[in-house]
Each structure stands twice: as C-alpha cells, then as structure tokens.
Amino acid sequence: MRAGAGVPRRATSLLRRILPRHLCDEVLADLEELYQLRVARDGEARARRWYRAQVVSYATRFGADRVRRSVGRRATRAGREPTSSGGGPLSAVSWLDWKLGARMLLKHPGLTFIGGLSLAAAIAIGSVGVEVANELLYKRLPFPEGERVVRLEVQDVSASRAEPRVLHDYAIWRERLEAITELGAARLVERNVLTGEGRVEPLRVAEITASAFPLTRVPPLLGRPLQPADERQGAEPAVVLGHDVWQRQFLGDPAIIGRVVSVGRTERTVVGVMPPGFGFPRNQQLWVPLPERDAAPREGAPVQVFGRLAAGATWQQAATELDVVSARIAADNPETHAQLRTRVRAFAGRTPGDPLEWQELLVHAIILLVLGAVCANVATLVFARTAMRESEMVVRNALGASRARIITQIITESLVLALGAAVLGLVVAQTIVRYAGTRTALGIDEGLPFWVDLTLEPATVLYALLLAVTAAALIGVLPALKATGASVQRGLQGLTSAGTAMRFGGIWSFIIGAQVAFTLICLPVAAGISSEFVRDRSTHSEFPAERFLTFRLSMDSEALPGDAGVPDDAEVGARRARAYEELALRLRAEPGVTHVTFGDRLPAMSPELTPVEVQRDGAEPVRLRGNYDGYIAAAAVGVGYHDAFGAGIVAGRALHAGDAGAANRPVLVNEAFMREVGTNPVGARVRTLPRRGDSEPGPWHEIVGVTSDIGMDPTDLGEAEYMYRAVSVAELDPVIVAVRVAGAAAPLTPRVAALARQVDAGLQVRDARTLEEVVRQRQTPAVIGATVFGIILLVALVFSAAGLYALMAVAVERRTREIGIRVALGADRQRVLRTVFARAGRQLGGGIVAGNGIILLIAWRAGGGVDLELVAALAVVSVIMATVGVLACAVPARRALRVQPTEALRQG
Amino acid sequence: MPKGMLGEFEQVVLLAILRLRGEAYGVPIVEEIEARTGRAVAPASVHVTLRRLEEKGLITSWLSEPVPERGGRARRCVRVEAEGLRQLRETRSMMEALWSGVEMPGEAR
C-alpha cells in the first residue's frame, strides 16, 4: 500500500501540524491502517468522515494532555516533545492573523458586505464631520505664523450687528496699537474685468492697503505687490492679479507685467502676479489700492481690518490694549461709539482661549453614537460567525494558543474588516466633501475662503483609522471573550457532540430587538419623505420652468470720474435702476423674449417666511396661520411679475409702477391666502408681526388685489399663501431678474452678460441659468436627504434581517442533535421548528411592539393624537417588518427541517 | 483516585496490551478494546494513554522494522513492564476488595 493512499489529504496535513514530531509518522501510519479497516467494513465515505473527525479528536486529546502537563508542571527530559508542538506554528507569526482575517472576509461575503458597507458609512460620516470641523474651526492661514494673523471686529451691541464703517478707527489703531502690528484694511467688491480674450467676467476684487502683502509674508510670483506709493493721490492705477486669473483670463502671458487691464471702469497696469493658492483676505482674485483712507466716525466705505500679533505679544495683551484704545475712541466720540465694542479674533479658525462650544462636542458624540450603533449590529453578525467556529477556537486552544492569543486573532479579523471599511469610508468622505464644498461655494456669494481646501487633511485620515480601530475593538471583543470563556472548557469535554456551546445572550437579544424597533420607526418616516418628494417633483414638472431665464443683477460701487468719494447706497441704487431699465429694454428686443420682470426672489426660490395678521374694516386684527408652520411667504416684486409667470388677477387689480413707495404700501395676495382668510381680502390691511429680536410689528399694507396661484410652491397642506409687495429696482440689491422666452431659455444665457456690458461696465450679472436649473438645485438637498434616509432604512432592514438570521442559524447549529433526537423519537418536524424558532419570534414580536409603542408615544406627545390613519399605517409597517423577519428565518428553518436524525445522532 | 491506582482507561489499555501477548501497537490495541468492550474507542485516546503510561514507566515501547503493508513505516510496539503489572494487580485487588459483599439489585447471591 502506498503511504497515505486514499486518506483525506487535508486532514492528514492538519494532523501533521497537531501531532508531536517524533510521534507523527507512527501515529499517522496507525490511523491509515485503521482507515483501511473501516473502508473495508463501513465503506469509503464513512471511513473518510471518521478520519476527518480524528483531527479534532487528536487536537483535543493531545491539547488536553499538554494542558495537564503544564498544570501539573511535569518536566520530562529525553522523552519530552519539542516545544514546537507546545507553542504551535499558528501562534508564532502575527502576519498570519492578517492573512486569516482577509480570508475570513472572502469566506463570509454576507458579513463582509453588510458589515463593511455599514462601517464604511459610519466612518465616512465621522470623517466628514471632523473634516468640516477642521476646516471651519482649526485651519489656520497658510502663511508663516499664520495663526498670529488677526482681525479686528467692531460690534454695535445695541443693534446686535457688526459695524464695518471703521476707517476712522483704523487710522487711530495704526497709530496707537503696539501689540498688533502691520495693520491693514480691505474692502471686498466685485468688478467686471475685461479679459485678454475680450470677455467680460465679474471677479472678486480686494481694494486693499499695501501693508496686507508684507503681513502675509507671501512674495509675488511675478513682479511686485502693491506698495504705499500706489496708494498716493494721482498715482498710476495698479492691479495685482491672482494666479488663476493670470492663467485662465490671460493664458499665463509671461509679459503680463505692465499690461493694461480694464477693471470696472478703470484702466489699470498689472504690477504683479501672486502665487497659486493666494486669495487673502478671503478668496480674492485681484488686488487694487484702497481708494478711501480717511473718514468721519462710522462713515465711509465698509472695510475689514486685520493685522498680526507683535513678536512676543499674547492674545490677552492684544485684547487688553485694544480695549483701552477703543475706550479712548469712544470717549472722544460718544455720539457714534458709545454702543460699539471692539475685539481681536483669529483671522481663520477658532480664537485661542475661546471655550469649547457644545456643538463641537455634540459632533463627536453623534459620530460615536452612529459608530456604536453600527458596531453593535456588526458585532451580532461577528458573534454568530464566531459561534460557528467554536470548534476551531477549541483546536487553537489545544494547540497551545492562550486565551489572549485567540482574542487577538478574532480582533485582528475584525480589524481587517474595519480597516477595509475605513479605506472605503475615506473615499466616500472625500467625494462628499468635494461635492458638498462645491455646492456650498455656489450658494455663498463670496465663495469659500482660500485657506479651505476640499482635500481630506491628514488629521482626518488619522481620525478615520482611529474610528476603525475602535470599531474593531467594539465588534471583536465581546464575541472573542465569549468564544474563549467557559465554553472552551465545555468544548474540550464534549467537542465531538454536535453544535456550538455559544449562544445569543441578553445583550445580543436586546440589540436584535432594538434593531427591529428602529427599523419599524424608520419605515413610516421614509414613506413620508418619499411621498413629499414625489409630490414636489410632480408639482414642478407641470410648470414651464425651462422657458424662464433668471440671473442676479447688481451694480458695482466704484467711484465714477467726478464723484466725490465712494458713492453711497442711494447713488448706487439709482445707478442700478437706470441700468436695469436699459437692460430690460434690450432684452425685450431679443428674439423670443416675451416678458422681463424682477423681484427679490422668484417662484421656487426660498421664500421669506413671516407671521402676519389681517385687519378688516377696523375690526380686531386676526393672526393668519399659514401653511409654512403658521407663517406666510412674502416676496418683493416689480411691475408685471405675475403677468410674466402666467398668474392672472382674480380680484382687485395688479401692481403698477407707482405702487413702489406709495403711502398705502399696496400688496397683492394669492388665492391660497384668500382661502385662508375665508373671504375676498381686497381692501383689508395686513402687516408682519414681530419675530425674534424685533420689538414692533411692521407697517400696515393695503391688499389691492388677488392673483391666482403660480403653482410652484407646494407645502404639506397645499399651495403656499403668498403676499407680494411692490418694490423698485433701486431698493433691491441684488435684483433677481426673470426673462420669459417663447421657446427654451437656455440659449439666451450668454447674451445676457454681453448686453449688460453694453449698458454699463459696472453692471454685474451672476448665476444666469434657467428656472428649471434653480428647481433642480433646490431639490438637490431633498434628493440627497431622501437618498441618505433610504440608505439608512435599507441598512436598518438588512441588519434586522441579518440579526434574526444569525440568531436562528446559531440556534439551529446548537440544537442540531436535539432536533435529530426529537425527530427520531417521532416528534413532528413543524412542532420542533416552532420551539426552535420561538425565541426569534419573541424578539421580532418584541421589536415590533416596542417600535409601535414609541411611535404612538411620540404622536401622543406631539399633540397630534392617535387617529385611524396612524393606526392603519402602523399595521402596514408591522406586517412589512414581520414579513422581513420571517423571510430572514427561512434559510435556517429549511436547514433545521432537513436535519437527518441518523446524521445528528452520529455527531458524537 | 488513590495514589498508585490506575485510571479506568489506563487499565483498559494495559489489559488490552497483555491480551495481545507481545503484538501490541496502536491498531490492534484499538481493535481489541472495541471488540472486548463493544464501545467505539478514539485512537487518539489510546495514543495519549500509551504516552502517559510510558512516562510513568508502566510500559516500554520500541520501533519495529519497517512494514511494507504500512508503506514502509515502522510500528511502535509496546509491552507492559513489571511496574505496570504490579499496579494492575494492586488495582485489581483494590477493586475486588471494594466489590466484595456488594449486592447489585436483581442479582442472586
């Protein structure tokens, strides 16, 4: 007979690792002989099964023997087994743990997929939270000693707002402050710049003092920065370009220095180009000298003031000195400065010495809560997996692995899963940060600060790794402790009996039940969000939004030749009104344009919400409860607004040109408003009521007409109630213009900027897009919210199902022999199944009852009461949850029904 | 268990070795025990017990010549030493003394 002929090779290989080296050959030879005898007696299949069982038998018996020797401290000499059998090769090499961990991921794809994705989501959430906090709170200016660059803020405490007209104070601070040096000031504006290719583009410009450049310690890439000589009266107008502008607008022209560029209405000479990434003070693209340096107290252009802490000066010293100087200014100018308070703040990030805001701690608490919830669920699945591997744990222990060693192995397997999830989570976090950052920048007029970048910081990556390690500990420790506890000893004694000694105890039962309850609560909420979203989409799809072009119009505040200083708001407003009229005239002359109108917002843009009361015929005013949480939507509109949007007048009259500024302050309301009032409101008066911080109600407005609903602003309770007041272009900044076109409006978009340039070089056009794009952008948060919530719900459903499946799989594994014996004794299989599944049923039922109870409690506390609709909805979701639970138990149930009594009895 | 008294399975293995009269190694020991007791025996238990008995000096072992039927591998044969015989006798005496006078229910005296 050839050695080893016919015996299972893998079992033999394992036996070679288990047996003491000097006994290996002879014991294996004996086993093979016995195997051949069994083949002859019982057949090959049974002989092979018997042979494989000997692996466990030898492992436990030789392992127990080793334990006995070490406990009794018996020392043998010549006949002692080599220590390689005592330590075991598997316990020696830690890299093998990682390899086994990776193999476990492949071997259990369900756990890998569910657990990995869930952990990745939790880590992504944590990474995004920390990254946002880092960028907003902890990031410093990317300059040498950027943390010592400060800004000086002035607050009008009586009006609770900032006071930016501080040129007068700035001059005094420059003279008197010693703890804060290199003071500078800047005014941030937008100017139309004529590019090298003849295009007009509004760019972010800083009118800034020359001292800002040495403050930053950043030298220009080309040429020179602004200098004090450029600020003198009569000096040749200079401009410094940003790197991006130089590359995009002027194609990186190496001869850019000395070139004349049209910035607003002024021809300026390029004197320098700054390096990439420079955008001080916020995200400016060009820098020109600040034209105005002196002003009377609280007059002049609004500016921001910055500086640098002097060498050796502390924040406290700077704050104290600033208080003293500001007090002196206030004493000299009590009429203007009595209510002003000045403080020194870090230019970027949190000011040292500021207490931790509770919001920062809340962010970390939420991150850990989410991670903990996910880990609890993943730990359930890991526990089930470990329970199925109990015999392997016993073998490891028999090979000499200590409890700590086995625990380390299990935690390492969890760590492999968690680290893989961390990598995926970081990729997702980076995508979210880039997307959200880009969308946020579009929504902020000034854009994001230049020191904020959308690449994950190293600190965020480290945080993600820390979360992964924490997750690995959370999901690995408890199953590991369970797998290596007293059950190991029971396993040593009775390993050849079927099943695992591990069971789902109280904690796991609670987790599974809580998961079911959470899923049940999420279901109706998800259904509500989805139905609201579907309703919004269907409403907007009926409106011809693609035929409307919208853009924001503003006028720069650059001084014109002959102006005495920088124009005030009234002059700029008048300039804007003239320019708008001319632009509207030219737009109406374009082919296809049917209407041009304006307002402070358009339909489908976020409305201003305000509480109002209505008074009729001298009666007591009545508060109107609108569809927006009791508030009414309000908008300021120009003449022809409703006509442009196809809304007709159903009562009274439309607004006309003379209404803006009229004594009776006429307003239009819509049909939804009239339905809420209950009667024709024409002739009644309406006014806004005090909101947070306001002390007096607004002035009375006369309702002069009722317009039909435009049909773009649905709420939960129907169309929104609207109030439209008349306004002129001069009063609005920016002006939101709407152009209605007979066909598609998108092709008109490039013409708008060109026409605006022809009208006035200072006229700025931004955000030119169709109303359809506005709607789509407005719905993006709802889409994202619905998607995220849907994913959460799906994960919750999967975890519930997976938890129940794991519970039942372990129960069946544990009770296989019992099932076999009971069936052999004549028990009905269905009845046996019912007893085995009783526990799962209790947890599923308990979770459903708990979830229903929580929802009913919330409904009762919210004051809405419990109605038939709610009960019906709960019944439906309970049925859905029960169905999911039953389906999750289907596979283990099938396995239990297939247990053959003879096989079950043979296991032992 | 009193000092010097053999364990149950140790007795079983020693007796099986004695019954085999010098042809004892792992395989026939397992077969003999199964045949005599009617119980399945794990070969691992036998091998561990043989190892323990040898450490106690109750048996000795040696490797036989290579056996062609076993793929040229040798057998580890065992025999009971004097100390093993002595402990077997002592254990038998103790058991007989304990059994003496014991009436099992349903047994005739």
Side-chain angles (χ1 to χ4, degrees), chain A residues 698-718:
Chain A
W700 286 107
H701 296 264
E702 182 184 346
I703 299 175
V704 298
V706 178
T707 174
S708 59
D709 296 332
I710 292 177
M712 281 284 271
D713 291 289
T715 67
D716 287 340
L717 303 176

Side-chain angles (χ1 to χ4, degrees), chain A residues 431-444 447-448 452 454:
Chain A
T431 308
I432 292 174
V433 165
R434 283 239 168 87
Y435 175 79
T438 308
R439 302 297 292 187
T440 304
L442 288 175
I444 302 176
L448 291 175
V452 171
L454 302 180

Side-chain angles (χ1 to χ4, degrees), chain A residues 618-661:
Chain A
E620 197 61 30
V622 174
R623 167 75 195 269
L624 214 59
R625 311 287 316 178
N627 284 352
Y628 274 118
D629 291 330
Y631 289 178
I632 303 296
V637 302
V639 175
Y641 182 93
H642 294 90
D643 190 39
F645 286 99
I649 298 295
V650 299
R653 65 169 178 84
L655 294 174
H656 54 63
D659 284 332

Side-chain angles (χ1 to χ4, degrees), chain A residues 713-790:
Chain A
D713 291 289
T715 67
D716 287 340
L717 303 176
E719 185 67 18
E721 295 93 348
Y722 253 96
M723 183 175 80
Y724 303 96
R725 68 180 177 89
V727 71
S728 68
V729 173
E731 295 173 65
L732 295 180
D733 185 23
V735 184
I736 311 298
V737 180
V739 181
R740 182 163 185 164
V741 183
L748 187 62
T749 308
R751 282 288 292 157
V752 172
L755 288 173
R757 173 77 184 170
Q758 291 170 15
V759 167
D760 191 316
L763 203 53
Q764 294 161 357
V765 172
R766 278 177 285 163
D767 295 337
R769 51 191 170 154
T770 64
L771 199 56
E772 192 179 29
E773 290 171 44
V774 171
V775 170
R776 199 178 308 131
Q777 191 173 5
R778 190 177 168 195
Q779 288 177 337
T780 299
V783 171
I784 293 174
T787 305
V788 168
F789 203 85

Side-chain angles (χ1 to χ4, degrees), chain A residues 1 3-4 20 23 26-27 29-30 32-34 37-38 50 54 57-58 61-62 65 68-69 81, chain B residues 25-27 30-31 34 42-45 47-48 51-52 55 63 68-71 73-76:
Chain A
M1 179 184 69
L23 295 177
E26 58 220 43
V27 169
D30 283 353
E32 283 164 22
E33 206 175 312
L34 287 166
L37 290 171
R38 272 169 173 72
W50 169 88
Q54 302 316 303
S57 177
Y58 273 89
R61 283 166 173 78
F62 272 87
D65 190 55
R68 179 186 59 78
R69 287 158 189 266
E81 290 79 14
Chain B
Y25 64 98
V27 175
V30 170
E31 297 270 280
E34 286 183 345
S45 304
H47 283 121
V48 166
R51 193 169 118 173
R52 202 179 311 138
E55 285 171 0
L63 279 175
E69 293 81 12
R70 282 160 65 99
R73 287 172 289 184
R75 294 173 177 146
R76 181 164 287 278

Side-chain angles (χ1 to χ4, degrees), chain A residues 202-367:
Chain A
L203 297 178
R204 295 183 295 274
V205 177
E207 293 178 344
I208 198 167
T209 55
S211 58
F213 291 90
L215 166 79
T216 65
R217 315 274 199 266
V218 177
L221 186 67
L222 296 176
R224 63 169 179 82
L226 294 178
Q227 292 169 346
D230 297 319
E231 297 172 334
R232 280 202 297 268
Q233 197 79 12
E236 186 177 341
V239 62
V240 173
L241 303 183
H243 186 269
D244 187 54
V245 171
W246 173 52
Q247 290 291 316
R248 278 194 306 112
Q249 316 296 36
F250 299 97
L251 306 180
D253 179 8
I256 191 68
I257 303 298
R259 188 164 161 178
V260 175
V261 170
S262 178
V263 180
R265 298 185 184 74
T266 308
E267 303 295 317
R268 293 182 178 273
T269 304
V270 177
V271 299
V273 176
M274 296 307 289
F278 185 87
F280 189 79
R282 184 173 171 90
N283 56 3
Q284 274 38 65
Q285 295 164 300
L286 277 81
W287 294 266
V288 299
L290 183 67
E292 195 177 9
R293 303 293 297 273
D294 299 314
R298 293 187 78 171
E299 286 186 17
V303 296
Q304 48 178 276
V305 177
F306 38 81
R308 185 183 276 274
L309 288 179
T314 65
W315 286 88
Q316 190 55 47
Q317 288 168 342
T320 304
E321 188 184 33
L322 186 62
D323 285 344
V324 169
V325 172
S326 299
R328 205 167 300 163
I329 298 175
D332 294 340
N333 303 277
E335 318 80 38
T336 53
H337 280 64
Q339 305 300 326
L340 298 186
R341 296 290 178 270
T342 309
R343 54 181 192 164
V344 58
R345 309 289 296 157
F347 195 92
R350 212 211 285 127
T351 302
D354 278 359
L356 261 180
E357 296 284 346
W358 63 268
Q359 293 92 334
E360 297 174 49
L361 297 174
L362 185 64
V363 166
H364 287 294
I366 290 173
I367 290 170

